[in-house]
Amino acid sequence: VPSSGRVAAYSDAVFSIIATVMILPVTHTVIPENKDLRSTLIRLIPNITVYIVSYLIVSGIWISHVWLFETIQRADEVVLFLNLALLMVVTFTPFVFTLLGQFSESMEYLEKYDVLPVVLFAATFMCLFGIQIVLIYYVFKVERIMKVEVVQNEDKMQQRNAMLWGAGIPMILCILAIICAPFSPLVGLIVLALIVASGAIRKWAYKIYEKYRGNRDSSMLLHINVRHRLLKEVVNKERVECFSDGVFAIVATLIILDICEDDIPTIDDVRKFGTVSAALSQHSNIYVAYAATFIAVGLLWSMHHTLLHYMMNMNRLMVFFNNLALACIGLSPLAFKMTTAFEDHKYGNNSMTAVQFNTAILFLAAIFQVAVWVTALFHQNVHVTQEAAYSGRDHAYITIKLSIFPLLSLLIYFMSFASEAISVTVFNAMLLGSPALFLLLRVLYPQCTKFCSRR
Amino acid sequence: VPSSGRVAAYSDAVFSIIATVMILPVTHTVIPENKDLRSTLIRLIPNITVYIVSYLIVSGIWISHVWLFETIQRADEVVLFLNLALLMVVTFTPFVFTLLGQFSESMEYLEKYDVLPVVLFAATFMCLFGIQIVLIYYVFKVERIMKVEVVQNEDKMQQRNAMLWGAGIPMILCILAIICAPFSPLVGLIVLALIVASGAIRKWAYKIYEKYRGNRDSSMLLHINVRHRLLKEVVNKERVECFSDGVFAIVATLIILDICEDDIPTIDDVRKFGTVSAALSQHSNIYVAYAATFIAVGLLWSMHHTLLHYMMNMNRLMVFFNNLALACIGLSPLAFKMTTAFEDHKYGNNSMTAVQFNTAILFLAAIFQVAVWVTALFHQNVHVTQEAAYSGRDHAYITIKLSIFPLLSLLIYFMSFASEAISVTVFNAMLLGSPALFLLLRVLYPQCTKFCSRR
Ligand SMILES: [K+]
Ligand SMILES: [K+]
Ligand SMILES: [K+]
Ligand SMILES: [K+]
Ligand SMILES: [K+]
Ligand SMILES: [K+]
Ligand SMILES: [K+]
């Protein structure tokens, strides 16, 4: 029976890529150059919401996957196949999201034509939760694949039942949605939206059950206590690293794929402009913007690397903040598209809006990393290594490193209101120069600590 | 100084995704339905060649990366930043590949217009090898980031020089290509093609050097002995796993992205066909084909998982075969496109050709995994765990598991010549049923070994 490490790592790669690619339908929307970018952005809000929601749903399923695999020591052939089936359904979710997004813009279409998009969406997630339930059953049945501490734990069956309820209630909601949708697609969608609140539903269901049957089975309540779940349950950080690496890696790829599709001159372009160089130079700002975006993403990765290096483990709240940071990083292909469309201040307001959108995303991506750090410090003896704790050698270093991007992006954001000269060109130049700040910190920090300790 | 594990894992994710996405320009070529698929395939040969070449180049750079990181114990800030710079250039390579592919179709264009595609290609790779050289210099200069066994090794500087030559000669060739291209783009391309033969060039350069200066520095010759490099140098398998997982994960994603882009019905389609269901059922074969392709890729992953589970480490030749297997798996988005275009036998010859292309890819992907296995068995005491060696408990199991796909695909390939009824429909049905073969093997194998040992 092989160890479960690689099965988990492969799943992390698939989950992270699928969670992030949902930004593509948004980036493929045309940004009209002669229209106000603010109004274009407002028009894009539903699409961006679909991206965020689908990201949170996929990452939520990833978290239950992490939770289940915390109990598995070694994955046998059955776990392997069930896991592949789960991943197959997960890779299919972008299809149902796109289909639903296409037809849910106005409820009119769904009611006039048919409810297949809603039913297909619910059916896909029903399969997903169904496979999860089979997987949970199997893992808790076959002791030789479980971790020793789980097998010896007397709360084992309680833990299993809590996991089963966690997947079971969403599955019931999916089935309900399939039943309701033919009568009213709106009701179907509302039932699906309830999945987000399935924790609360479980709590109410338990209270009703308790009232009529007496307190016989407390397994339903286990893991319901939100405070306990968010702050006390710890995950090892390797899987968070794998998932995050996947998101960071796919973001760079999505940007270059968009460039390859849109900005490679055709032979007709070359005929029109004379030479390949002339045709390419029509989009010359793209290369600077690409370097700037990649550097921003790279520095965010380097902050993430430092942050997780000093963690011993993470609780659910930290993982949640981490995932929000990654969701913002996943928006960078859209931000990149805006900076290339309105390259300099001759586009006036649009260039300013593009800078503001970019800095807002950078700020959010960085500040959610700070949130992970602050949450970790609340129980620093559990989560943080000795050097990184309050009195530790590297505490100030991590805090300063994590604050550079929030401060820098906030600065540019407010400067952009003050002057039209703070255009995309200036923004890109500042990003290109930002690695110098990080290297400066690296060089100065040991000197400062030496100086301070001498006094 | 953080450990280098995560830096390596993140690099693996980026390298694997970038190596594989070069299939996209091929899949985005339109496959005309009313034309002979064989002639379409022949027309696609240059594009497929560009994919294979770019895949091999990117994976070659990945191998040198693995080699360098074998000497690093802990990655400091400088290694981290140099590595991010390297990855930035790597993510940019799809652009120069696509640009060169667009204009190298006929040499005429390059000569008539300009040589920028060749120069940009050479310049990108010059940067890549340049950053590698700086990284090698830095790593071998700062002892605290190196592994203890490398620091204590008396051949340390020889090893460094060998690595420097390995990156230096390709860089010199890139510079030569930039100089030659303005005079003749063809000569520039030939000089670039010589990079593949840079090992041989190094050998000749050394012989000339030896003749004129006497045998003073044998570092140039180190690692030149091809037999030694391929068979004796061993890599730990974790990085091969990470790289392979990235390829497997991105393949599934590329297929679903293509489906989302091409096969989501628009509102106009729905008006035309009446309902969303009717519009979707125009492409109903896609879902079966998707499931079949995902199952094929999933089973190939499961074979790969079994194969690497029983390895202790891998030599270069095994990694090379592994990469060839992955290159074939990277072709599956193209294979998928063919099976969906010619879904059943009413397309006659084209459906037959699609099945043959699919089975050929499956066969190659599986047989290169068998090649890894056979190579490992040649020095089984070095590479293979005890249970997997000739007399081991699981030896026959692995061999049988690895043979299922080569045999099955060969069978369908030859059957497709015999009868027109062996169309895409039958092929998909056989793939959908193939997990049963693997599960059967899992169930029967312990019984058989029990029976054999009893006799
Ligand atoms: K997540
Ligand atoms: K990874
Ligand atoms: K990027
Ligand atoms: K490779
Ligand atoms: K991985
Ligand atoms: K990966
Ligand atoms: K697939």
Side-chain angles (χ1 to χ4, degrees):
Chain A
V1 190
S3 106
S4 71
R6 191 176 168 197
V7 181
Y10 178 57
S11 310
D12 290 343
V14 172
F15 275 110
S16 60
I17 294 175
I18 291 296
T20 318
V21 290
M22 282 303 298
I23 194 64
L24 276 191
V26 191
T27 59
H28 285 175
T29 323
V30 182
I31 296 178
E33 289 201 15
N34 49 1
K35 258 176 128 184
D36 185 33
L37 180 57
R38 238 169 262 239
S39 64
T40 311
L41 265 177
I42 291 168
R43 193 168 50 76
L44 282 180
I45 285 176
N47 307 48
I48 294 176
T49 312
V50 167
Y51 159 72
I52 300 277
V53 169
S54 65
Y55 178 89
L56 289 178
I57 292 177
V58 173
S59 69
I61 294 163
W62 171 74
I63 289 175
S64 1
H65 191 270
V66 171
W67 231 249
L68 178 59
F69 271 69
E70 289 282 292
T71 61
I72 301 178
Q73 178 69 46
R74 321 190 143 270
D76 69 358
E77 214 89 343
V78 178
V79 171
L80 216 134
F81 275 68
L82 283 173
N83 191 60
L84 281 177
L86 185 73
L87 293 180
M88 182 169 98
V89 180
V90 168
T91 58
F92 194 66
T93 53
F95 179 80
V96 293
F97 273 117
T98 318
L99 193 69
L100 192 64
Q102 182 108 313
F103 292 98
S104 63
E105 277 177 26
S106 92
M107 203 44 62
E108 215 186 311
Y109 282 116
L110 281 182
E111 293 189 344
K112 194 167 160 198
Y113 302 109
D114 67 60
V115 293
L116 194 77
V118 181
V119 173
L120 215 55
F121 190 96
T124 305
F125 281 88
M126 187 191 72
C127 291
L128 231 161
F129 294 116
I131 298 172
Q132 263 191 348
I133 289 175
V134 177
L135 202 50
I136 296 166
Y137 252 114
Y138 181 78
V139 168
F140 278 85
K141 207 180 154 195
V142 184
E143 289 201 346
R144 80 199 149 86
I145 63 174
M146 286 166 82
K147 282 187 184 157
V148 184
E149 57 267 34
V150 180
V151 176
Q152 288 167 347
N153 189 348
E154 50 185 27
D155 291 339
K156 200 181 86 175
M157 288 327 262
Q158 279 208 339
Q159 198 180 338
R160 187 198 76 166
N161 290 348
M163 280 184 177
L164 284 179
W165 279 107
I169 288 176
M171 195 178 94
I172 293 167
L173 289 173
C174 286
I175 295 172
L176 271 180
I178 296 174
I179 297 168
C180 295
F183 303 104
S184 158
L186 185 64
V187 174
L189 283 176
I190 291 171
V191 174
L192 280 177
L194 284 179
I195 292 179
V196 184
S198 58
I201 293 175
R202 204 181 351 163
K203 208 166 180 173
W204 294 331
Y206 179 69
K207 280 192 176 158
I208 295 167
Y209 177 87
E210 199 182 23
K211 206 169 178 180
Y212 288 93
R213 296 270 181 123
N215 194 352
R216 264 189 264 166
D217 175 15
S218 63
S219 69
M220 273 182 79
L221 208 58
L222 192 72
H223 298 280
I224 285 180
N225 184 327
V226 176
R227 218 185 111 79
H228 177 271
R229 281 173 74 196
L230 285 180
L231 298 179
K232 299 286 176 205
E233 293 186 351
V234 292
V235 206
N236 80 42
K237 64 174 188 177
E238 272 74 34
R239 294 210 53 186
V240 181
E241 284 181 352
C242 264
F243 185 90
S244 312
D245 281 349
V247 173
F248 281 107
I250 195 74
V251 161
T253 313
L254 291 181
I255 294 178
I256 204 71
L257 283 181
D258 260 1
I259 295 179
C260 284
E261 204 145 297
D262 300 342
D263 302 308
I264 299 271
T266 61
I267 285 165
D268 287 338
D269 287 338
V270 174
R271 286 216 184 90
K272 188 174 152 203
F273 295 108
T275 60
V276 181
S277 331
L280 270 180
S281 66
Q282 299 295 312
H283 311 272
S284 61
N285 62 313
I286 283 176
Y287 314 110
V288 180
Y290 178 72
T293 310
F294 191 92
I295 284 173
V297 174
L299 291 176
L300 285 167
W301 181 81
S302 128
M303 285 162 60
H304 195 268
H305 178 268
T306 303
L307 182 65
L308 263 71
H309 173 64
Y310 291 103
M311 297 281 154
M312 296 190 293
N313 54 51
M314 296 174 84
N315 65 28
R316 277 208 183 205
L317 188 62
M318 288 156 71
V319 175
F320 180 68
F321 283 137
N322 176 63
N323 290 353
L324 284 181
L326 295 176
C328 297
I329 290 162
L331 278 170
S332 48
L334 179 64
F336 171 78
K337 205 166 180 187
M338 284 178 194
T339 49
T340 50
F342 308 106
E343 44 189 310
D344 59 37
H345 57 89
K346 79 170 183 235
Y347 292 93
N349 264 338
N350 280 356
S351 187
M352 199 174 96
T353 312
V355 169
Q356 285 159 7
F357 186 79
N358 270 275
T359 45
I361 282 175
L362 266 186
F363 177 76
L364 288 173
I367 210 73
F368 282 125
Q369 293 203 23
V370 174
V372 175
W373 178 229
V374 172
T375 316
L377 289 177
F378 266 108
H379 298 278
Q380 58 173 4
N381 50 336
V382 181
H383 300 301
V384 163
T385 60
Q386 217 180 335
E387 313 95 82
Y390 276 121
S391 48
R393 181 172 50 93
D394 295 338
H395 179 77
Y397 176 71
I398 306 163
T399 311
I400 299 172
K401 185 165 180 180
L402 291 179
S403 335
I404 292 178
F405 255 32
L407 293 177
L408 187 70
S409 54
L410 216 58
L411 181 76
I412 310 176
Y413 183 82
F414 285 114
M415 272 164 69
S416 76
F417 283 102
S419 157
E420 249 190 21
I422 308 298
S423 64
V424 167
T425 319
V426 175
F427 170 71
N428 282 339
M430 287 180 109
L431 281 187
L432 289 174
S434 56
L437 287 176
F438 286 83
L439 286 174
L440 205 67
L441 171 66
R442 177 76 266 182
V443 173
L444 288 184
Y445 187 73
Q447 312 296 331
C448 289
T449 44
K450 224 181 272 173
F451 181 76
C452 290
S453 62
R454 213 183 288 153
R455 282 184 57 191
Chain B
V1 190
S3 106
S4 70
R6 191 176 167 195
V7 181
Y10 178 57
S11 310
D12 290 342
V14 172
F15 275 110
S16 60
I17 293 175
I18 292 296
T20 317
V21 290
M22 284 301 300
I23 194 63
L24 276 192
V26 191
T27 58
H28 286 177
T29 322
V30 181
I31 297 179
E33 288 201 16
N34 48 1
K35 258 176 126 183
D36 185 33
L37 181 57
R38 239 170 260 238
S39 65
T40 312
L41 265 177
I42 290 168
R43 193 168 50 76
L44 283 179
I45 285 177
N47 307 49
I48 294 176
T49 312
V50 167
Y51 159 72
I52 300 276
V53 169
S54 65
Y55 178 89
L56 290 178
I57 291 177
V58 173
S59 69
I61 294 163
W62 171 73
I63 289 175
S64 1
H65 191 272
V66 172
W67 231 249
L68 178 60
F69 271 69
E70 289 280 294
T71 62
I72 302 178
Q73 177 70 43
R74 320 189 143 271
D76 70 357
E77 215 88 342
V78 179
V79 171
L80 216 133
F81 275 67
L82 283 173
N83 190 61
L84 281 177
L86 185 73
L87 292 181
M88 183 169 96
V89 181
V90 168
T91 58
F92 194 66
T93 53
F95 180 79
V96 293
F97 272 118
T98 318
L99 193 69
L100 191 64
Q102 181 108 313
F103 293 98
S104 62
E105 277 176 26
S106 92
M107 204 43 63
E108 215 185 310
Y109 282 115
L110 281 181
E111 293 188 345
K112 194 166 161 199
Y113 302 108
D114 67 59
V115 294
L116 194 78
V118 181
V119 173
L120 215 57
F121 190 96
T124 305
F125 280 88
M126 188 190 71
C127 292
L128 231 161
F129 294 116
I131 298 171
Q132 264 192 347
I133 289 175
V134 177
L135 202 51
I136 295 166
Y137 252 115
Y138 181 79
V139 168
F140 277 85
K141 206 180 155 197
V142 185
E143 288 199 347
R144 79 200 148 87
I145 62 174
M146 285 166 82
K147 283 188 184 157
V148 184
E149 57 268 35
V150 179
V151 176
Q152 289 168 346
N153 189 348
E154 51 184 26
D155 291 338
K156 200 181 85 174
M157 289 327 264
Q158 279 208 338
Q159 198 179 339
R160 188 198 76 165
N161 291 347
M163 280 182 179
L164 284 178
W165 279 107
I169 288 176
M171 196 177 94
I172 292 168
L173 289 172
C174 286
I175 296 172
L176 271 181
I178 295 175
I179 297 168
C180 294
F183 303 104
S184 157
L186 185 64
V187 174
L189 283 176
I190 291 171
V191 173
L192 280 177
L194 283 180
I195 292 180
V196 185
S198 58
I201 293 175
R202 205 183 346 165
K203 208 166 180 174
W204 292 331
Y206 178 68
K207 281 190 175 159
I208 294 167
Y209 178 86
E210 198 183 22
K211 206 169 177 180
Y212 288 94
R213 297 270 182 121
N215 194 351
R216 266 189 264 166
D217 176 15
S218 63
S219 70
M220 274 182 80
L221 208 60
L222 193 71
H223 298 280
I224 285 181
N225 184 326
V226 176
R227 219 185 110 79
H228 177 270
R229 280 172 75 195
L230 285 180
L231 297 179
K232 299 286 176 205
E233 293 185 351
V234 292
V235 206
N236 80 41
K237 63 175 189 177
E238 272 74 34
R239 295 211 52 187
V240 181
E241 284 180 352
C242 265
F243 184 91
S244 311
D245 280 351
V247 173
F248 281 108
I250 196 72
V251 161
T253 314
L254 291 180
I255 294 178
I256 203 73
L257 284 181
D258 261 1
I259 295 180
C260 285
E261 204 145 297
D262 300 342
D263 302 308
I264 298 270
T266 61
I267 286 166
D268 286 339
D269 287 338
V270 174
R271 285 214 184 91
K272 188 174 152 202
F273 295 108
T275 60
V276 182
S277 330
L280 272 179
S281 66
Q282 299 297 311
H283 310 272
S284 62
N285 62 312
I286 282 176
Y287 315 109
V288 179
Y290 179 72
T293 311
F294 191 92
I295 284 173
V297 173
L299 291 176
L300 285 167
W301 180 81
S302 127
M303 284 161 60
H304 195 267
H305 178 268
T306 303
L307 181 65
L308 263 71
H309 172 64
Y310 291 102
M311 298 280 155
M312 295 190 293
N313 55 50
M314 294 174 84
N315 66 26
R316 276 208 183 206
L317 189 61
M318 286 155 72
V319 175
F320 181 68
F321 283 138
N322 177 62
N323 289 353
L324 284 180
L326 295 175
C328 296
I329 290 162
L331 277 170
S332 48
L334 179 64
F336 171 77
K337 206 167 179 187
M338 284 178 196
T339 49
T340 51
F342 308 106
E343 44 190 309
D344 59 38
H345 58 89
K346 78 172 183 233
Y347 292 94
N349 263 338
N350 280 355
S351 186
M352 199 174 97
T353 312
V355 169
Q356 285 160 7
F357 185 78
N358 269 277
T359 45
I361 283 174
L362 266 185
F363 176 76
L364 288 174
I367 210 74
F368 282 125
Q369 294 202 22
V370 174
V372 175
W373 178 230
V374 172
T375 316
L377 289 177
F378 265 108
H379 298 277
Q380 59 172 5
N381 49 336
V382 181
H383 300 300
V384 163
T385 60
Q386 217 180 334
E387 313 96 81
Y390 275 122
S391 48
R393 181 171 50 93
D394 295 339
H395 178 77
Y397 175 71
I398 307 163
T399 310
I400 298 172
K401 185 165 180 181
L402 290 178
S403 336
I404 292 178
F405 256 30
L407 292 178
L408 187 69
S409 53
L410 215 60
L411 180 76
I412 310 176
Y413 183 82
F414 285 114
M415 270 164 70
S416 76
F417 282 103
S419 155
E420 249 190 22
I422 307 299
S423 65
V424 167
T425 319
V426 175
F427 170 70
N428 282 340
M430 286 180 111
L431 281 187
L432 289 174
S434 56
L437 288 176
F438 286 82
L439 286 173
L440 205 68
L441 171 66
R442 177 77 265 182
V443 173
L444 288 184
Y445 187 73
Q447 312 296 331
C448 289
T449 44
K450 222 181 275 172
F451 181 77
C452 291
S453 61
R454 213 183 289 153
R455 282 182 59 191

